[in-house]
Amino acid sequence: VSATAHPAVRTGTTVSELEAVLTAAARAAEPLAALRPRERARMLTAAADALDAAGEELVPLAIEESGLPEQRLRGELRRTTVQLRTFAEVLADGGYLHAVIDRAEPDTPLGPRPDLRRMLIPLGPVLVFAASNFPFAFSVAGGDTASALAAGCPVVLKAHPGHPRLSARTGELVADALRTAGAPDGTLGVIFGLDTGTKALRDPRMTAAAFTGSAAAGRALFDIAAARPVPIPFYGELGSLNPVFVTAGALAARSAEVADGYVASFTLGTGQFCTKPGLLFLPKGHGLQEALVRAVHAVPAARMLHPGVYEGYRGRSLAMSRADGVHTLVEGGTAQDLTAAPTLLATDVETLLNHRDLLLAEAFGPLSVVVSYNGQDELLSAAEAFDGNLTATVHAEPGEAEFVRPLLACLRERAGRLIYNGWPTGVAVTAAMHHGGPYPSATSALHTSVGSAAISRFLRPVSYQGMPQELLPEALRDSNPLGIPQHVNSV
Amino acid sequence: VSATAHPAVRTGTTVSELEAVLTAAARAAEPLAALRPRERARMLTAAADALDAAGEELVPLAIEESGLPEQRLRGELRRTTVQLRTFAEVLADGGYLHAVIDRAEPDTPLGPRPDLRRMLIPLGPVLVFAASNFPFAFSVAGGDTASALAAGCPVVLKAHPGHPRLSARTGELVADALRTAGAPDGTLGVIFGLDTGTKALRDPRMTAAAFTGSAAAGRALFDIAAARPVPIPFYGELGSLNPVFVTAGALAARSAEVADGYVASFTLGTGQFCTKPGLLFLPKGHGLQEALVRAVHAVPAARMLHPGVYEGYRGRSLAMSRADGVHTLVEGGTAQDLTAAPTLLATDVETLLNHRDLLLAEAFGPLSVVVSYNGQDELLSAAEAFDGNLTATVHAEPGEAEFVRPLLACLRERAGRLIYNGWPTGVAVTAAMHHGGPYPSATSALHTSVGSAAISRFLRPVSYQGMPQELLPEALRDSNPLGIPQHVNSV
């Protein structure tokens, strides 16, 4: 696609272009919501097919704009289309509607009760802010878009400036596929420019927003959403440190595996994942330093996504390495072409607790800190210092349950996903996934941005009281024409 | 209970008293969350038993402070204890935990997937602002408290100044019953004073808040919750107009029933219900005026809750009746002792749309407006003018589906509960109830404050990845010792 065809890619979306996108989204809301879940499933499948078929066009564009390697991007595109197909399955199943039927009951302790039926319906147009670090899976056709469309909400997608041409082209392909499969015009629109995004966030036609990115940007947008005359839910996935805690038993049983697994995880994607392990807690006198340094040296330098994250990585590495009590194990080099080699620092719990603002703040890029701890009490005091995180990981061995239980209890209050003998990078797209957590990892601890439960962010309940069958939505009729799970007279 | 025993009742809670309540609530969070759902069910049942046993003490206190009639208050107390028992059933069932188990899968389109298990856990201490109009059912031991305790969250209850002694005594009884049934100290604390409430709302130990009351107060508190360094969910149930739309068919078939039902509904509880029908739409030339006036005259004057709502009712009635195009059908008298007789006004759609700020704003008290409409288009233009409402009601007859369907489609976007041939007052406590709706009827359109689904406001998901059975919560173990619904390998 030529830049001429997409003037907005270069200059940002104009005020009148934005108005057209918002109007189209608002007009699409009712017809899109009126479609049967299986009809929307076909649209998501059509979008997935179109993206799968366009890999040879999209992946080179993504490489050019993001600097990410081909194999990674091919995998990410596959993840993106699997995600769209997963939501098609969610729609075909229909359980996501939470259809509840309480039949009229003449005799309850509080007197007669009318027939009441409840289901979830779409909120309306959703504004999605794309992320830079997953040009497919958290961008135009990513999880936020897939779950909002599945819910029956039109999507206005604010593209990330890190991959504008890929965003425009993905938007075209997906919008065409949706339209061909029967979606109303305006079901997906792509807009460009930070100011355009905040204008859209303030627009009364938008009914929810989703965001993946930095804590500073996410909080600023959250504040705008909350301050509207009609506040709307803002689902931000912001920052996370993803600490990893290793017991003496795990160290004794498999120290090489721990060292290699950790280094692979924090350098994966050049450390540009929300789930990058930012700290590794090891027992004092762990003796793992040499293996860690060796593993880090084996990781080649790689290009970072854009100047912003590159400069952030350089600055944060330097500031952290200069703190009293912090030692540099590997000084990662950086070069003008945005390439970065990984940095590994080391410290102890006392230093960590004395430099919370510096050491307990998310640092994007291939940078992590090894923290030695002296016994269970000190480890717990470190765990308690964390704010909300997407993940927390424990490496332990059988027989250490007494040591691990209080740690897990503490971490459960501070993280959305607890991992045992694994690594936080790698987020499965499944019903049991929770990708979220207490603030600031997410602005709403109640919701996930990955996995099938993500659809619930864009749905609200409505009850029907005493409604005749012919006026009820199909999902709530006795004849159950959609064939979905209905919970009749449940608690 | 003597005022000496509760100095806080008169003077407001002191800073050190508040600190003690907040500290106790924070300390109670972990042990309360650690209890099995059935153990918490026993606590809720014990609280219900204690309240049922104390009716002879509590109802006279409630009459004295609220001015509400005895029969109503006895019924409301019963509703309150039924509500506590309903949540005990929800806990015994265990489905509310949404336990999801995705077993490890070596071969997925995205590669091997680890064992992932997800469930809901309590958020932590919850701040509840009590309402004035239901001294039992939306106060100390009301629905917000019951659902938060059921979720496993300690409750800090900010009492309403309309019934301080009843609040203090209810708090004592319930806290004692909970403690005797094994709840940790601090599971329920009662605080007094507006300033105390906002201090508590800003306290970092509070993890969520619930509120029932006016749009102005609710929005001010919502803004505080959203502006915290760590924002927390604020579940406000604010204002609602609850319009009722009557078709020509319904009018022809049962005009007397419509007139009597409407007047009974808008004057119930002296019009001090969130679900009071504020407007009745009748076809032009409806001829119902005489029957309506007669029915209103038959309603005796009754004491209102407190000077605030009494003055509001007087002021709003006067202002609305003076608007151009608004006619007074019945001028409700008011007296110095806070008693009020009902007011009935009449207008048409054109006037309504010309005076939206005045006529489309909630007015507490026995005041309602009859609006005549001229055909379907005009009725739809009126329906479209509404913001979010708790309810919207349609009275129609078989054969009118073509007239009713577009009206229901419009109302579904603007209300949480759609009622057919009934009245909005009367809110069943059941799984299919939705008591909420788009803003401003609720600050979160995703949640209900009545019915068993209200528990979900105080729960957040957590996922366990690759966790050994002995370290998993009981709800997620293969052996399922709690005997709860587990969704295994679901979509």
Coordinates of all heavy atoms in Angstrom, one line a residue, chain A residues 78 102 109 116 118 219 222 226 228-229 231 235 405 412 415-418 420 430-434 439 445-446 459-466 468 470, chain B residues 78 102 109 116 118 121 219 222 226 228-229 235 405 412 415-418 420 430-434 439 445-446 459-466 468 470:
Chain A
R78 N 0.5 -15.8 13.6 CA -0.2 -17.0 13.8 C -1.0 -16.9 15.1 O -2.2 -17.2 15.2 CB 0.7 -18.2 13.8 CG 0.0 -19.5 14.0 CD 1.0 -20.6 13.5 NE 0.4 -21.9 13.7 CZ -0.5 -22.4 12.8 NH1 -0.9 -21.7 11.8 NH2 -1.1 -23.6 13.0
D102 N -34.8 -16.9 35.5 CA -35.5 -17.2 36.7 C -37.0 -17.2 36.5 O -37.6 -16.1 36.3 CB -35.1 -16.2 37.8 CG -33.7 -16.3 38.3 OD1 -33.1 -17.4 38.1 OD2 -33.2 -15.4 38.8
P109 N -40.1 -16.2 50.0 CA -40.2 -15.5 51.3 C -40.5 -14.1 51.2 O -41.0 -13.4 52.2 CB -38.8 -15.8 51.9 CG -38.2 -16.9 51.2 CD -38.9 -16.9 49.8
L116 N -37.9 -13.4 35.4 CA -36.8 -12.5 35.2 C -35.7 -13.2 34.4 O -35.4 -14.3 34.7 CB -36.2 -12.1 36.5 CG -36.7 -10.8 37.2 CD1 -36.2 -10.7 38.6 CD2 -36.2 -9.5 36.4
R118 N -31.8 -12.6 32.3 CA -30.7 -11.7 32.3 C -29.7 -12.2 31.3 O -29.4 -13.4 31.2 CB -30.1 -11.6 33.7 CG -28.9 -10.7 33.9 CD -28.4 -11.0 35.3 NE -27.6 -9.9 35.9 CZ -26.3 -9.9 36.1 NH1 -25.6 -10.9 35.7 NH2 -25.8 -8.9 36.7
R219 N -2.0 5.9 32.6 CA -2.6 6.6 33.6 C -3.2 7.9 33.1 O -4.3 8.3 33.5 CB -1.7 6.9 34.8 CG -2.3 7.6 36.0 CD -3.5 6.8 36.5 NE -4.3 7.5 37.4 CZ -4.4 7.4 38.8 NH1 -3.5 6.5 39.3 NH2 -5.2 8.0 39.5
F222 N -6.3 6.9 31.4 CA -7.3 6.5 32.4 C -8.0 7.7 33.0 O -9.2 7.7 33.2 CB -6.6 5.7 33.5 CG -7.5 5.4 34.7 CD1 -8.3 4.2 34.7 CD2 -7.5 6.2 35.8 CE1 -9.1 3.9 35.8 CE2 -8.3 5.9 36.9 CZ -9.1 4.8 36.9
A226 N -12.0 8.7 33.1 CA -12.7 8.8 34.3 C -13.3 10.2 34.5 O -14.3 10.3 35.2 CB -11.8 8.4 35.5
R228 N -14.6 12.1 32.1 CA -15.6 12.5 31.1 C -16.9 12.7 31.9 O -17.2 12.2 32.9 CB -15.9 11.3 30.2 CG -14.7 11.0 29.2 CD -14.9 9.6 28.6 NE -16.3 9.3 28.2 CZ -16.7 9.1 27.0 NH1 -15.8 9.0 26.0 NH2 -18.0 8.9 26.7
P229 N -17.8 13.6 31.2 CA -19.2 13.7 31.8 C -19.8 12.4 32.0 O -20.4 12.1 33.1 CB -19.9 14.5 30.8 CG -18.8 15.3 30.0 CD -17.6 14.4 30.1
P231 N -18.4 8.9 32.5 CA -17.1 8.1 32.5 C -17.3 6.7 31.8 O -18.4 6.2 31.8 CB -16.9 7.9 34.0 CG -17.9 8.7 34.8 CD -19.0 9.0 33.8
Y235 N -9.6 0.0 30.2 CA -8.9 -1.2 30.5 C -7.4 -1.1 30.1 O -7.1 -1.3 28.9 CB -9.5 -2.5 29.9 CG -11.0 -2.6 30.2 CD1 -12.0 -2.4 29.3 CD2 -11.3 -3.0 31.5 CE1 -13.3 -2.5 29.6 CE2 -12.7 -3.2 31.8 CZ -13.7 -2.9 30.9 OH -15.0 -3.0 31.2
R405 N 4.6 -21.7 50.7 CA 3.2 -21.2 50.9 C 3.1 -19.8 51.3 O 2.3 -19.1 50.7 CB 2.6 -22.1 51.9 CG 2.0 -23.3 51.3 CD 0.8 -23.9 52.1 NE 0.5 -25.2 51.5 CZ 1.0 -26.4 51.9 NH1 1.7 -26.4 53.0 NH2 0.7 -27.5 51.2
R412 N 0.1 -13.7 45.7 CA -1.2 -13.7 45.2 C -1.9 -12.3 45.3 O -2.8 -12.0 44.5 CB -2.1 -14.8 45.9 CG -3.4 -15.1 45.2 CD -4.1 -16.2 45.9 NE -4.8 -15.8 47.0 CZ -6.0 -16.4 47.4 NH1 -6.4 -17.4 46.8 NH2 -6.6 -15.9 48.4
A415 N -0.2 -10.1 42.3 CA 0.0 -10.5 40.9 C -1.3 -11.2 40.4 O -2.1 -11.7 41.1 CB 1.2 -11.4 40.8
G416 N -1.4 -11.2 39.0 CA -2.5 -11.8 38.4 C -2.3 -13.2 38.0 O -3.2 -14.0 37.9
R417 N -1.0 -13.6 37.8 CA -0.7 -15.0 37.4 C 0.5 -15.5 38.2 O 1.5 -14.8 38.3 CB -0.4 -15.0 35.9 CG -0.1 -16.4 35.4 CD -0.2 -16.5 33.9 NE 0.6 -15.5 33.2 CZ 1.7 -15.7 32.4 NH1 2.1 -17.0 32.2 NH2 2.3 -14.7 31.8
L418 N 0.4 -16.6 38.9 CA 1.4 -17.2 39.7 C 2.0 -18.4 38.9 O 1.2 -19.3 38.6 CB 0.9 -17.6 41.0 CG 0.3 -16.4 41.9 CD1 -0.3 -17.0 43.2 CD2 1.4 -15.4 42.2
Y420 N 4.8 -21.5 38.5 CA 5.6 -22.4 39.3 C 6.6 -23.1 38.3 O 6.1 -23.8 37.4 CB 4.8 -23.5 40.0 CG 5.5 -24.3 41.0 CD1 5.8 -23.9 42.3 CD2 5.9 -25.6 40.7 CE1 6.4 -24.6 43.2 CE2 6.6 -26.4 41.6 CZ 6.8 -25.9 42.9 OH 7.5 -26.7 43.8
T430 N -6.1 -18.8 26.4 CA -7.0 -19.9 26.8 C -8.0 -19.3 27.9 O -7.9 -18.2 28.3 CB -6.1 -21.0 27.3 OG1 -6.9 -22.0 27.9 CG2 -5.1 -20.5 28.4
A431 N -8.9 -20.2 28.2 CA -10.0 -19.7 29.2 C -9.4 -19.4 30.6 O -9.9 -18.6 31.3 CB -11.1 -20.8 29.3
A432 N -8.4 -20.2 31.0 CA -7.8 -20.0 32.3 C -6.7 -19.0 32.4 O -6.2 -18.8 33.5 CB -7.3 -21.4 32.8
M433 N -6.4 -18.3 31.3 CA -5.4 -17.3 31.4 C -5.9 -16.0 32.1 O -7.0 -15.6 31.9 CB -4.9 -16.9 30.0 CG -3.9 -15.7 29.9 SD -2.5 -15.9 31.0 CE -1.6 -17.3 30.3
H434 N -5.1 -15.5 32.9 CA -5.3 -14.1 33.4 C -4.1 -13.3 33.1 O -3.0 -13.5 33.7 CB -5.7 -14.1 34.9 CG -6.0 -12.7 35.4 ND1 -6.9 -11.9 34.8 CD2 -5.5 -12.0 36.4 CE1 -7.0 -10.8 35.4 NE2 -6.1 -10.8 36.4
Y439 N -3.3 -2.9 40.3 CA -2.7 -1.7 39.8 C -1.2 -1.6 40.3 O -1.0 -1.9 41.4 CB -3.5 -0.5 40.3 CG -3.1 0.8 39.7 CD1 -3.7 1.3 38.5 CD2 -2.1 1.6 40.3 CE1 -3.3 2.5 37.9 CE2 -1.7 2.8 39.7 CZ -2.3 3.2 38.5 OH -2.0 4.4 37.9
A445 N -8.4 -4.5 38.0 CA -7.9 -5.8 38.5 C -8.9 -6.9 38.2 O -8.6 -8.1 38.2 CB -7.6 -5.8 40.0
L446 N -10.1 -6.5 37.8 CA -11.2 -7.5 37.6 C -11.1 -8.1 36.2 O -11.9 -9.1 35.9 CB -12.5 -6.8 37.8 CG -13.0 -6.7 39.2 CD1 -12.2 -5.7 40.0 CD2 -14.5 -6.3 39.2
L459 N -19.0 -6.1 27.7 CA -20.4 -6.6 27.9 C -21.0 -6.0 29.1 O -20.3 -5.9 30.2 CB -20.5 -8.1 27.9 CG -20.0 -8.8 26.6 CD1 -19.7 -10.3 26.9 CD2 -21.0 -8.7 25.5
R460 N -22.3 -5.7 29.1 CA -23.0 -5.3 30.3 C -24.3 -6.1 30.4 O -24.9 -6.5 29.4 CB -23.3 -3.8 30.3 CG -24.3 -3.4 29.3 CD -24.6 -1.9 29.4 NE -25.5 -1.4 28.4 CZ -26.8 -1.4 28.4 NH1 -27.4 -1.9 29.5 NH2 -27.5 -1.0 27.4
P461 N -24.8 -6.3 31.6 CA -26.0 -7.1 31.8 C -27.3 -6.3 31.5 O -27.3 -5.0 31.7 CB -26.0 -7.5 33.3 CG -24.7 -6.9 33.9 CD -24.2 -5.9 32.9
V462 N -28.3 -6.9 31.0 CA -29.6 -6.3 31.0 C -30.6 -7.4 31.4 O -30.5 -8.6 31.1 CB -29.9 -5.8 29.6 CG1 -30.0 -6.8 28.5 CG2 -31.2 -5.0 29.6
S463 N -31.6 -7.0 32.2 CA -32.7 -8.0 32.6 C -34.0 -7.7 31.9 O -34.3 -6.5 31.7 CB -32.9 -7.9 34.1 OG -31.8 -8.5 34.8
Y464 N -34.7 -8.7 31.7 CA -36.1 -8.6 31.1 C -37.0 -9.1 32.1 O -36.9 -10.3 32.6 CB -36.2 -9.4 29.8 CG -35.3 -8.8 28.7 CD1 -34.0 -9.1 28.6 CD2 -35.9 -8.0 27.7 CE1 -33.2 -8.6 27.5 CE2 -35.2 -7.4 26.7 CZ -33.8 -7.7 26.6 OH -33.1 -7.2 25.6
Q465 N -38.0 -8.4 32.5 CA -39.0 -8.8 33.5 C -40.4 -8.9 32.9 O -40.9 -8.0 32.3 CB -39.0 -7.7 34.6 CG -40.0 -8.0 35.7 CD -39.9 -7.1 36.9 OE1 -38.8 -6.6 37.2 NE2 -41.0 -6.7 37.6
G466 N -40.9 -10.1 33.0 CA -42.3 -10.4 32.5 C -42.4 -10.2 31.0 O -43.5 -10.0 30.5
P468 N -42.9 -11.1 27.1 CA -43.4 -12.2 26.3 C -42.3 -12.8 25.5 O -41.3 -12.1 25.1 CB -44.4 -11.5 25.4 CG -44.7 -10.2 25.9 CD -43.5 -9.8 26.8
E470 N -42.0 -13.6 22.4 CA -41.7 -13.0 21.0 C -40.9 -11.7 21.2 O -40.3 -11.3 20.2 CB -43.0 -12.8 20.3 CG -43.9 -11.8 20.9 CD -45.1 -11.3 20.0 OE1 -45.0 -11.6 18.8 OE2 -46.0 -10.6 20.5
Chain B
R78 N -36.9 -8.4 56.7 CA -37.0 -9.7 56.1 C -36.2 -9.8 54.8 O -35.5 -10.8 54.6 CB -38.5 -10.1 55.9 CG -38.7 -11.5 55.5 CD -40.1 -11.9 55.7 NE -40.4 -13.3 55.3 CZ -40.0 -14.4 56.0 NH1 -39.3 -14.2 57.1 NH2 -40.2 -15.6 55.5
D102 N -7.5 -25.5 32.7 CA -7.0 -25.9 31.4 C -5.8 -26.8 31.6 O -4.7 -26.3 31.9 CB -6.7 -24.7 30.5 CG -7.9 -23.8 30.1 OD1 -9.0 -24.4 30.2 OD2 -7.7 -22.6 29.9
P109 N -1.8 -25.1 18.3 CA -1.3 -24.4 17.1 C -0.2 -23.4 17.5 O 0.6 -23.0 16.7 CB -2.5 -23.6 16.6 CG -3.7 -24.4 17.1 CD -3.3 -25.0 18.5
L116 N -2.9 -24.5 33.3 CA -3.4 -23.2 33.7 C -4.7 -23.3 34.4 O -5.6 -23.9 33.9 CB -3.5 -22.2 32.5 CG -2.3 -21.4 32.2 CD1 -2.6 -20.7 30.8 CD2 -2.1 -20.3 33.2
R118 N -7.6 -21.0 36.8 CA -8.0 -19.6 37.1 C -9.2 -19.6 38.1 O -10.1 -20.4 37.9 CB -8.4 -18.9 35.8 CG -8.8 -17.5 35.9 CD -9.3 -17.1 34.5 NE -9.2 -15.7 34.2 CZ -10.3 -14.9 34.1 NH1 -11.5 -15.3 34.2 NH2 -10.1 -13.6 33.8
I121 N -10.7 -14.4 43.4 CA -10.4 -14.2 44.8 C -10.9 -12.8 45.3 O -11.1 -11.9 44.5 CB -8.9 -14.4 45.0 CG1 -8.1 -13.3 44.3 CG2 -8.4 -15.7 44.5 CD1 -6.6 -13.2 44.7
R219 N -21.1 11.1 42.2 CA -20.0 11.4 41.2 C -18.8 12.0 42.0 O -17.7 11.8 41.6 CB -20.6 12.4 40.2 CG -19.6 12.9 39.2 CD -19.1 11.6 38.4 NE -17.9 11.9 37.6 CZ -17.9 12.0 36.3 NH1 -19.0 11.9 35.6 NH2 -16.7 12.2 35.6
F222 N -17.0 9.0 43.3 CA -16.4 8.3 42.1 C -15.1 9.1 41.7 O -14.1 8.4 41.5 CB -17.4 8.3 41.0 CG -16.8 7.8 39.7 CD1 -16.8 6.5 39.3 CD2 -16.2 8.7 38.8 CE1 -16.2 6.0 38.2 CE2 -15.7 8.3 37.6 CZ -15.7 6.9 37.3
A226 N -11.3 7.5 41.6 CA -10.6 7.4 40.4 C -9.3 8.2 40.4 O -8.3 7.9 39.7 CB -11.4 7.9 39.2
R228 N -7.3 8.5 43.1 CA -6.3 8.0 44.0 C -5.0 7.6 43.3 O -5.0 7.2 42.1 CB -6.8 6.7 44.7 CG -8.0 6.9 45.6 CD -8.7 5.6 46.0 NE -7.7 4.5 46.2 CZ -7.6 3.9 47.4 NH1 -8.4 4.1 48.4 NH2 -6.7 2.9 47.5
P229 N -3.8 7.6 44.0 CA -2.6 7.1 43.4 C -2.9 5.6 42.8 O -2.4 5.3 41.7 CB -1.6 7.1 44.5 CG -2.1 8.2 45.4 CD -3.6 8.1 45.3
Y235 N -18.5 1.4 42.8 CA -19.8 1.0 42.3 C -20.9 1.9 42.9 O -21.3 1.7 44.0 CB -20.0 -0.5 42.7 CG -18.9 -1.4 42.2 CD1 -18.0 -2.0 43.1 CD2 -18.7 -1.7 40.9 CE1 -16.9 -2.8 42.7 CE2 -17.7 -2.5 40.4 CZ -16.8 -3.0 41.3 OH -15.8 -3.9 40.9
R405 N -41.3 -3.3 19.5 CA -39.9 -3.7 19.2 C -38.9 -2.6 19.1 O -37.9 -2.6 19.8 CB -39.8 -4.6 18.0 CG -40.0 -6.0 18.3 CD -39.4 -7.0 17.4 NE -39.9 -8.3 17.7 CZ -40.9 -8.9 17.1 NH1 -41.5 -8.3 16.1 NH2 -41.4 -10.1 17.5
R412 N -33.3 -0.6 25.6 CA -32.2 -1.5 26.0 C -30.9 -0.8 26.1 O -30.0 -1.1 26.9 CB -32.2 -2.7 25.1 CG -31.3 -3.8 25.6 CD -31.4 -5.0 24.7 NE -30.4 -4.9 23.6 CZ -29.8 -5.9 23.0 NH1 -30.1 -7.1 23.3 NH2 -28.9 -5.7 22.0
A415 N -31.2 1.4 29.6 CA -31.7 0.9 30.9 C -31.1 -0.5 31.2 O -30.7 -1.2 30.3 CB -33.2 0.8 30.9
G416 N -31.0 -0.8 32.5 CA -30.5 -2.1 33.0 C -31.6 -3.2 33.1 O -31.3 -4.3 33.0
R417 N -32.8 -2.7 33.2 CA -33.9 -3.7 33.4 C -35.1 -3.2 32.6 O -35.5 -2.1 32.7 CB -34.3 -3.9 34.9 CG -35.4 -4.9 35.1 CD -35.5 -5.3 36.6 NE -35.6 -4.2 37.5 CZ -36.6 -3.9 38.3 NH1 -37.7 -4.7 38.2 NH2 -36.6 -2.9 39.1
L418 N -35.6 -4.1 31.7 CA -36.8 -3.8 30.9 C -38.0 -4.6 31.4 O -37.9 -5.8 31.5 CB -36.5 -4.2 29.4 CG -35.3 -3.4 28.8 CD1 -35.0 -3.9 27.4 CD2 -35.5 -1.9 28.8
Y420 N -42.1 -5.5 31.4 CA -43.3 -5.6 30.5 C -44.5 -5.8 31.3 O -44.6 -6.7 32.1 CB -43.1 -6.7 29.5 CG -44.1 -6.8 28.4 CD1 -44.0 -6.0 27.3 CD2 -45.2 -7.6 28.5 CE1 -45.0 -6.1 26.2 CE2 -46.2 -7.7 27.5 CZ -46.1 -6.9 26.4 OH -47.0 -6.9 25.4
T430 N -32.4 -12.1 43.1 CA -32.3 -13.3 42.4 C -31.2 -13.3 41.4 O -30.6 -12.2 41.2 CB -33.7 -13.6 41.7 OG1 -33.6 -14.8 40.9 CG2 -34.1 -12.4 40.8
A431 N -30.9 -14.4 40.8 CA -29.7 -14.5 39.9 C -29.9 -13.7 38.6 O -29.0 -13.1 38.1 CB -29.4 -15.9 39.5
A432 N -31.2 -13.6 38.2 CA -31.4 -12.9 36.9 C -31.7 -11.4 37.1 O -31.9 -10.7 36.1 CB -32.6 -13.5 36.2
M433 N -31.6 -10.9 38.3 CA -31.9 -9.5 38.5 C -30.7 -8.7 38.1 O -29.5 -9.0 38.3 CB -32.1 -9.2 40.0 CG -32.2 -7.7 40.4 SD -33.4 -6.7 39.4 CE -35.0 -7.5 39.8
H434 N -31.0 -7.5 37.4 CA -29.9 -6.5 37.2 C -30.4 -5.2 37.7 O -31.4 -4.7 37.2 CB -29.6 -6.4 35.7 CG -28.5 -5.4 35.5 ND1 -27.3 -5.5 36.1 CD2 -28.3 -4.4 34.7 CE1 -26.5 -4.5 35.8 NE2 -27.1 -3.8 34.9
Y439 N -24.6 4.9 32.8 CA -24.4 6.1 33.6 C -25.5 7.1 33.2 O -25.8 7.2 32.0 CB -23.0 6.7 33.3 CG -22.7 7.8 34.2 CD1 -22.0 7.6 35.4 CD2 -23.0 9.1 33.8 CE1 -21.6 8.6 36.2 CE2 -22.6 10.2 34.7 CZ -21.9 9.9 35.8 OH -21.6 10.9 36.7
A445 N -21.6 0.2 34.4 CA -22.7 -0.4 33.7 C -22.5 -2.0 33.8 O -23.5 -2.7 33.5 CB -22.8 0.0 32.3
L446 N -21.4 -2.4 34.1 CA -21.1 -3.9 34.0 C -21.6 -4.6 35.3 O -21.5 -5.9 35.3 CB -19.6 -4.1 33.9 CG -19.0 -4.0 32.5 CD1 -19.0 -2.6 32.0 CD2 -17.6 -4.6 32.5
L459 N -14.5 -9.3 43.4 CA -13.7 -10.5 43.1 C -12.8 -10.1 41.9 O -13.2 -9.4 41.0 CB -14.5 -11.7 42.8 CG -15.4 -12.2 43.9 CD1 -16.5 -13.1 43.4 CD2 -14.6 -12.9 45.0
R460 N -11.6 -10.7 42.0 CA -10.7 -10.5 40.8 C -10.1 -11.9 40.5 O -9.9 -12.7 41.4 CB -9.6 -9.5 41.1 CG -8.5 -9.9 42.1 CD -7.4 -8.9 42.2 NE -6.5 -9.2 43.3 CZ -5.4 -10.0 43.2 NH1 -5.1 -10.5 42.0 NH2 -4.7 -10.3 44.2
P461 N -9.7 -12.1 39.2 CA -9.2 -13.4 38.8 C -7.7 -13.5 39.2 O -7.0 -12.5 39.2 CB -9.3 -13.4 37.3 CG -10.0 -12.1 36.9 CD -9.9 -11.2 38.0
V462 N -7.3 -14.7 39.4 CA -5.9 -15.0 39.5 C -5.7 -16.4 38.9 O -6.5 -17.3 38.9 CB -5.4 -15.0 41.0 CG1 -6.0 -16.1 41.8 CG2 -3.9 -15.1 41.1
S463 N -4.6 -16.5 38.1 CA -4.3 -17.7 37.4 C -3.0 -18.4 38.0 O -2.1 -17.7 38.5 CB -3.9 -17.5 35.9 OG -5.1 -17.2 35.2
Y464 N -3.1 -19.7 38.0 CA -1.9 -20.5 38.5 C -1.4 -21.3 37.3 O -2.2 -22.0 36.7 CB -2.4 -21.5 39.6 CG -2.8 -20.8 40.9 CD1 -4.1 -20.2 41.0 CD2 -1.9 -20.6 42.0 CE1 -4.4 -19.5 42.2 CE2 -2.3 -19.9 43.1 CZ -3.5 -19.4 43.2 OH -3.9 -18.7 44.4
Q465 N -0.1 -21.2 37.1 CA 0.5 -21.9 36.0 C 1.5 -22.9 36.5 O 2.4 -22.6 37.2 CB 1.2 -20.9 35.1 CG 1.9 -21.5 33.9 CD 2.4 -20.4 32.9 OE1 1.8 -19.3 32.8 NE2 3.5 -20.6 32.3
G466 N 1.2 -24.2 36.1 CA 2.1 -25.3 36.4 C 2.3 -25.5 37.9 O 3.3 -26.1 38.4
P468 N 1.9 -27.2 41.5 CA 1.6 -28.6 42.1 C 0.3 -28.6 42.8 O -0.1 -27.6 43.4 CB 2.8 -28.8 43.0 CG 3.8 -27.8 42.7 CD 3.1 -26.6 42.1
E470 N -0.6 -29.6 45.7 CA -0.6 -29.3 47.1 C -0.5 -27.8 47.4 O -0.8 -27.2 48.4 CB 0.5 -30.0 47.9 CG 1.9 -29.6 47.4 CD 3.1 -30.1 48.3 OE1 2.8 -30.6 49.4 OE2 4.2 -30.0 47.9

